[in-house]
Amino acid sequence: MSNSTNPSGKPPKGYHLIVRDENALLPFLLDMLDQQSRSSVKSLLHNGQIQVNGEVTTKFDTPLIEGDKIFVSSESNRKEELMHPMLQKVWEDDDLVVVNKREGLLSVTSAPGQRMTAFNILAEHYHKINQQNNVYVLHRLDRGTSGLMMFARTTKAYDVLKADWHSMITKRAYIAVIEGRPLKDEDTIVTYLAENDRMKVFCTDPMHGKNSISHYRLLKYNNWYSMLELELETGRKNQIRAQMEYLGHPIAGDYKYGAHTDPDGRIMLHAQSLHFIHPISGEEMKFDHPAPKSFFDVVKE
């Protein structure tokens, strides 16, 4: 929570509500604002337009007791926007932030002096708002991969997600443009992955590698390339890239993993879908960000 401010000195526009019984904030608002959709009510929270007893809150599970005063502002009080060409904020609340990462941007690094990472961009953004703000790494995307990532903003959200990551992530799906066309239009790929001393992941046997499972389906194809949607059952390092090379259909532009062509000037892999159970509210959150138009151009007939 943060104290509300009104720089103009004018009374804020909106209306007041009084809590009559114990409740949580979101159910209370949905009941009182029954002419509005659930998504529009949640937008009021996200935009900082809800005050509880004079303080702005974006937490939809804020507990309410009889006599609490709720103010619904008609004016947005959103926090400072993230403005960066390599990283776009898709959604945030007090516990999590979901972003769309451009290809070419590192997720995180331990290299000294390397500031251009998704983690550092977010950390600096939130520190500008409040020096007490923190960001915690939950997972990574390869430098050459674009798409959706999630970071925790509180230690509680981080701990809950990391303790049961596999169960709480309900969908992670990617779009890839690969060389050639696979024999099957849909299939499950099961391999065992390990990493060699050159930091390349390869398929090996159960004694030396970790079980890695991906499900794919063919979306589009032409004489040279195919577009696949791949859903991860496991999330190993470079899993899709290594498995596509293993199948003999490397991702276009991915020379490290066997590609012979580079039609788009990048590795043609994009994290399109990220669905998860919110670690605090328990609600399933679903985010989808389409692959770049250039992916579709490469596979057009």
Side-chain angles (χ1 to χ4, degrees):
M1 291 187 181
S2 61
N3 290 329
S4 59
T5 59
N6 185 17
S8 68
K10 297 178 181 179
K13 298 178 181 179
Y15 49 93
H16 296 271
L17 303 170
I18 302 296
V19 178
R20 300 303 181 189
D21 300 290
E22 287 189 11
N23 208 335
L25 183 56
L26 182 58
F28 172 80
L29 292 172
L30 290 172
D31 182 51
M32 298 299 292
L33 308 178
D34 57 358
Q35 298 301 309
Q36 298 191 41
S37 68
R38 182 183 180 90
S39 60
S40 67
V41 172
K42 292 177 73 173
S43 291
L44 292 173
L45 279 164
H46 173 60
N47 291 336
Q49 292 173 251
I50 303 298
Q51 296 178 27
V52 178
N53 298 325
E55 292 189 79
V56 173
T57 182
T58 59
K59 283 184 168 290
F60 43 80
D61 59 347
T62 299
L64 304 177
I65 61 174
E66 182 180 355
D68 280 346
K69 298 176 181 179
I70 311 300
F71 179 69
V72 181
S73 174
S74 59
E75 300 172 344
S76 176
N77 187 35
R78 292 185 68 174
K79 297 175 181 178
E80 180 182 342
E81 289 300 318
L82 173 65
M83 303 294 293
H84 198 283
M86 300 296 286
L87 198 68
Q88 172 193 6
K89 192 188 296 182
V90 175
W91 171 87
E92 68 176 336
D93 66 5
D94 289 347
D95 301 292
L96 302 169
V97 57
V98 176
V99 296
N100 179 52
K101 183 186 84 69
R102 286 280 303 275
E103 78 282 358
L105 179 66
L106 287 167
S107 297
V108 65
T109 182
S110 58
Q114 173 58 264
R115 302 297 301 168
M116 187 62 75
T117 69
F119 169 76
N120 284 335
I121 291 168
L122 277 178
E124 290 174 5
H125 165 71
Y126 284 119
H127 285 165
K128 285 180 182 178
I129 298 170
N130 187 326
Q131 282 294 317
Q132 302 303 312
N133 286 338
N134 290 304
V135 178
Y136 304 91
V137 178
L138 290 166
H139 65 119
R140 293 167 172 79
L141 290 181
D142 296 339
R143 183 175 195 160
T145 303
S146 58
L148 294 171
M149 291 185 67
M150 173 171 57
F151 292 82
R153 297 189 58 200
T154 63
T155 54
K156 182 177 181 180
Y158 174 84
D159 290 341
V160 172
L161 280 165
K162 292 299 284 187
D164 197 15
W165 179 259
H166 182 74
S167 298
M168 299 194 73
I169 302 301
T170 55
K171 181 178 182 180
R172 284 181 72 187
Y174 291 70
I175 297 296
V177 175
I178 63 171
E179 296 180 345
R181 181 182 175 185
L183 290 175
K184 298 179 180 179
D185 290 350
E186 295 187 31
D187 203 3
T188 295
I189 310 167
V190 180
T191 58
Y192 295 89
L193 299 182
E195 187 174 2
N196 62 25
D197 55 7
R198 293 169 299 177
M199 300 183 69
K200 180 179 177 180
V201 175
F202 63 98
C203 296
T204 180
D205 57 72
M207 293 293 294
H208 300 93
K210 294 181 179 179
N211 187 35
S212 306
I213 304 171
S214 304
H215 309 278
Y216 78 80
R217 64 186 181 97
L218 180 67
L219 301 178
K220 293 173 67 70
Y221 66 92
N222 58 23
N223 290 333
W224 304 278
Y225 300 101
S226 299
M227 177 182 285
L228 304 182
E229 180 186 52
L230 298 112
E231 187 168 346
L232 298 183
E233 187 168 321
T234 59
R236 311 299 183 196
K237 179 181 178 181
N238 294 173
Q239 177 172 317
I240 294 174
R241 298 169 65 186
Q243 289 182 330
M244 289 298 100
E245 181 183 36
Y246 175 75
L247 288 187
H249 297 284
I251 297 170
D254 193 1
Y255 289 128
K256 182 176 180 179
Y257 285 90
H260 296 92
T261 63
D262 185 10
D264 195 31
R266 57 162 293 182
I267 297 172
M268 299 193 73
L269 182 62
H270 175 79
Q272 176 172 267
S273 300
L274 179 59
H275 301 178
F276 57 89
I277 304 301
H278 194 286
I280 307 304
S281 71
E283 181 179 3
E284 185 175 19
M285 314 294 292
K286 298 182 179 181
F287 298 95
D288 300 276
H289 197 285
K293 179 180 179 296
S294 58
F295 280 38
F296 296 88
D297 291 340
V298 169
V299 294
K300 68 182 179 183
E301 297 181 359

